[in-house]
Every structure is written in C-alpha cells, then in structure tokens.
C-alpha cells in the first residue's frame, strides 16, 4: 500500500499521518489507563487528548492543503468535524459534571 501512495507523491504525508496517529494512540492508551483506574488526573488528561487531537488534525489538514494532497485532505476534514463535535461534547462534560468529580477521586 505504501508504494502506491509513494508513487502518487504522497509518501511523506502518509508517513507523517502514521506517526501522528501512533502518537495519539499511545496517548489514548495512557488516558484510558488513567480513566479505568479512576485517577484524579484522568479528566484533565482526556481533555488534553481531545485538544491535542483537534490541533494535530488542523495542522495535518493545513499541510495536506499546501501539498495539494486532496485525498488526504478530504479525510482530514471529516476527522476534524468529528474531533470538533467530540470536543464540544466531552470537554464541558469533564469540566462541569458532578459525576466526574465524584468518580475521579484517587
């Protein structure tokens, strides 16, 4: 698959997206561990994860638009919309919810 992408001239963008996705996966696993252990810093970590994911998607989209990598840019726009909706729902919830404050006390 990579050779087809590289032949189309998008090898660098593909590699960059892969690295960003791997970093976000590691961060997500860390946040999930904190969440399931009900650690006090879990809500803050999840909010940070949502913001980092949103910012990284914006940066990748900008790079893809500059590089005229339309197939990648279309997928990044879809991901950006999902990230905005998710952040708009979960950030206020983790900041204001009484249930969250009562759950993450360790």
């Amino acid at each position: 698959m990579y050779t087809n992408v590289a032949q189309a001239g998008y090898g660098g963008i593909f590699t960059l997206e892969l690295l960003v996705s791997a970093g976000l996966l590691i961060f997500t696993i860390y946040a999930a561990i904190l969440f399931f252990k009900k650690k006090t810093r879990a809500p803050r970590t999840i909010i940070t994860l949502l913001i980092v994911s949103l910012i990284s998607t914006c940066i990748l989209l900008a790079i893809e638009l500059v590089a005229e990598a339309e197939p990648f840019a279309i997928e990044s726009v879809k991901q950006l919309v999902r990230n905005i909706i998710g952040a708009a729902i979960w950030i206020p919830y983790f900041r204001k919810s009484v249930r969250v404050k009562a759950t993450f006390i360790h």
Side-chain angles (χ1 to χ4, degrees), residues 17-92:
E17 283 203 12
L18 186 63
L19 291 172
V20 170
S21 294
L24 286 173
L25 176 64
I26 292 167
F27 194 13
T28 301
I29 292 169
Y30 173 69
I33 291 169
L34 293 178
F35 179 84
F36 289 115
K37 288 185 175 184
K38 298 180 182 175
K39 297 291 184 178
T40 308
R41 62 185 185 271
R44 192 173 346 116
T45 303
I46 292 169
I47 290 170
T48 303
L49 173 63
L50 291 166
I51 292 169
V52 167
S53 180
L54 186 63
I55 292 170
S56 65
T57 303
C58 288
I59 292 169
L60 285 172
L61 177 60
I63 291 169
E64 292 159 1
L65 291 173
V66 168
E68 297 179 4
E70 193 172 309
F72 287 94
I74 291 169
E75 291 303 315
S76 288
V77 168
K78 292 177 188 177
Q79 185 62 42
L80 182 60
V81 170
R82 284 190 291 264
N83 287 348
I84 290 170
I85 292 169
I89 293 169
W90 291 111
I91 290 174

